[in-house]
Amino acid sequence: MKILVTGGLGYIGSHTVVELQAAGLEVVIVDNLSNSHIEVLNKIEKISGIRPSFSKLDLADRDSCSNFFKGEKAISGIIHFAAYKAVGESVKEPLKYYHNNLDSLINVLENMKTYHIPNLVFSSSCTVYGQPDKLPVTEQAPRKPALSPYGNTKQMAEDIIRDTVYASAIKSIALRYFNPVGAHYSALIGELPLGVPNNLLPFITQTASGIREQLSVFGSDYNTPDGTAIRDYIHVVDLAKAHVVAVKRMLNDKSKSNYEIFNIGTGNGYSVLEVIKSFEKVSKLKLNYKIVGRREGDIEKVWADTSFANKELGWKAQKTLDEMTLSAWRFQQQLSKNMK
Ligand code: UFG
């Protein structure tokens, strides 16, 4: 069975490729390398012993996309990661986000129809819930108006997929990720943010390794036990495994409906200070941080109700917060070593 992974050299994509290979599936990667590195292909091969086929390709370009599908036969399913994901950048350059994230999806769906490729796993996000009224948040919770063009592309993409599934033979599973963190245990692949990281874990590990001087903790006056914001952090390898389960569910015709949505988190919420404490414990370092004002657009707290994914997919996140922070730290140490 051949699975096409778009954005397969990116952070979540590369971990998913490794898990697909471990499950005996053949992987074809397309990636435009806009936020990823070609060396990741070697790292994947080093981990799994198998070099996946790779094409550098901009899926948002209609002609390049259809040429690719014309030449690539017998794809059983697609996992579509390829998208821009920086919330702040999307506010400044909305058209870049709408063009890339939506045109690439539409082009992929058109080719799925043309070449009768039946199965699509889509990377969605808990960002579609905004600040939920009830926690933990279930898949039935209403989606709130998006706070950024990035978030809007995830909502619109879900709708585009739902409508296309309704009108075609395509089946899809949308996975709404909570906060993916950590790295592969080999420390060969992990999150490689370009420039100054926006996300908490890369900022913590870069501060600890001396690349950044100090971590700013955004807000300590939230309505949470320690005043800092709460998220459901999930180890990227647990998240990658959810994709394998989802794609197999469709390949084995086990879907209960043609379009399914699952929350992919751990079900546990941790505050920013709890993440810092975990990092300090596993690294045996003291982190230089200071508490500053809230970051615009941040929600106060969110964590997943994962019971639907646990029951229906037979999947459950396994890794603890300490395993997440330790693996992120080991990956950063490896990167720092390679820079020397
Ligand atoms: N934080 C800090 N300091 C930092 C970075 C983050 O205190 O330097 C805090 C944030 O304020 C937030 C928490 O750490 O409370 C997590 O922040 P991240 O930026 O790591 O993650 P977000 O929850 O803001 O964003 C993530 C994804 C987005 C997605 C969003 C909602 O990165 O792509 O979840 O799904 F849109």
Side-chain angles (χ1 to χ4, degrees):
M1 293 278 195
K2 197 195 282 185
I3 307 299
L4 170 65
V5 182
T6 75
L9 296 183
Y11 174 43
I12 306 171
S14 57
H15 288 82
T16 300
V17 168
V18 167
E19 295 305 321
L20 288 166
Q21 290 176 320
L25 293 157
E26 183 187 344
V27 177
V28 175
I29 295 175
V30 301
D31 197 305
N32 68 0
L33 300 177
S34 68
N35 191 24
S36 59
H37 302 266
I38 189 67
E39 296 78 47
V40 172
L41 202 55
N42 298 330
K43 306 281 170 64
I44 290 171
E45 186 178 6
K46 212 162 168 186
I47 294 170
S48 67
I50 307 163
R51 191 173 185 84
S53 113
F54 167 72
S55 300
K56 181 173 185 294
L57 183 70
D58 183 2
L59 292 167
D61 183 279
R62 205 169 177 201
D63 291 342
S64 326
C65 186
S66 33
N67 284 337
F68 169 79
F69 277 95
K70 207 182 282 169
E72 186 68 58
K73 290 281 142 49
I75 296 171
S76 306
I78 300 180
I79 306 184
H80 183 53
F81 291 107
Y84 293 147
K85 59 172 187 177
V87 177
E89 184 191 45
S90 79
V91 175
K92 292 193 191 99
E93 295 190 71
L95 292 178
K96 177 174 164 181
Y97 274 68
Y98 288 119
H99 170 62
N100 184 62
N101 293 8
L102 298 180
D103 284 352
S104 63
L105 172 68
I106 291 167
N107 290 339
V108 166
L109 286 168
E110 271 177 349
N111 283 285
M112 289 179 75
K113 280 184 72 180
T114 307
Y115 295 102
H116 308 289
I117 301 169
N119 304 311
L120 176 73
V121 178
F122 177 67
S123 312
S124 192
S125 166
C126 71
T127 197
V128 303
Y129 297 120
Q131 177 60 65
D133 300 324
K134 273 190 241 144
L135 287 168
V137 63
T138 70
E139 290 84 353
Q140 278 72 46
R143 294 185 326 187
K144 297 273 179 73
L147 290 174
S148 69
Y150 160 77
N152 213 16
T153 66
K154 291 296 173 191
Q155 294 199 354
M156 291 165 89
E158 284 192 353
D159 293 344
I160 291 168
I161 292 169
R162 181 203 57 210
D163 295 347
T164 307
V165 162
Y166 182 76
S168 70
I170 296 171
K171 283 187 297 183
S172 181
I173 292 180
L175 301 179
R176 289 180 176 161
Y177 316 152
F178 284 67
N179 284 51
V181 294
H184 194 259
Y185 70 88
S186 64
L188 288 168
I189 53 173
E191 193 170 7
L192 269 174
L194 297 176
V196 183
N198 294 306
N199 297 117
L200 180 61
L201 243 293
F203 212 107
I204 289 178
T205 57
Q206 290 197 4
T207 305
S209 68
I211 303 169
R212 313 279 155 213
E213 205 183 308
Q214 189 174 50
L215 168 79
S216 296
V217 173
F218 298 134
S220 60
D221 58 349
Y222 286 109
N223 182 22
T224 60
D226 65 20
T228 63
I230 294 178
R231 298 286 183 276
D232 183 338
Y233 297 92
I234 173 166
H235 196 293
V236 65
V237 172
D238 278 333
L239 175 57
K241 288 181 174 158
H243 291 79
V244 178
V245 173
V247 84
K248 280 190 166 172
R249 178 178 175 89
M250 288 191 288
L251 294 174
N252 296 330
D253 248 335
K254 291 284 192 314
S255 298
K256 297 268 165 70
S257 71
N258 287 346
Y259 177 51
E260 297 181 310
I261 298 174
F262 296 98
N263 280 345
I264 304 295
T266 64
N268 303 312
Y270 290 105
S271 72
V272 177
L273 289 180
E274 284 175 315
V275 175
I276 294 174
K277 266 190 210 115
S278 160
F279 176 80
E280 290 187 327
K281 185 174 106 189
V282 302
S283 68
K284 303 184 179 67
L285 293 170
K286 198 93 202 79
L287 193 73
N288 181 20
Y289 70 89
K290 71 161 187 262
I291 299 203
V292 301
R294 293 182 181 195
R295 180 171 70 177
E296 203 188 331
D298 269 350
I299 57 162
E300 183 166 270
K301 50 190 166 195
V302 64
W303 60 93
D305 183 325
T306 59
S307 46
F308 187 54
N310 299 158
K311 183 170 154 278
E312 273 301 317
L313 296 178
W315 166 92
K316 199 171 184 351
Q318 304 290 335
K319 300 204 187 294
T320 62
L321 180 62
D322 288 351
E323 288 173 292
M324 301 180 210
T325 52
L326 179 61
S327 64
W329 179 229
R330 288 184 54 215
F331 179 65
Q332 179 57 50
Q333 286 178 301
Q334 196 58 42
L335 284 181
S336 304
K337 213 159 85 189
N338 293 343
M339 305 259 276
K340 279 184 191 144

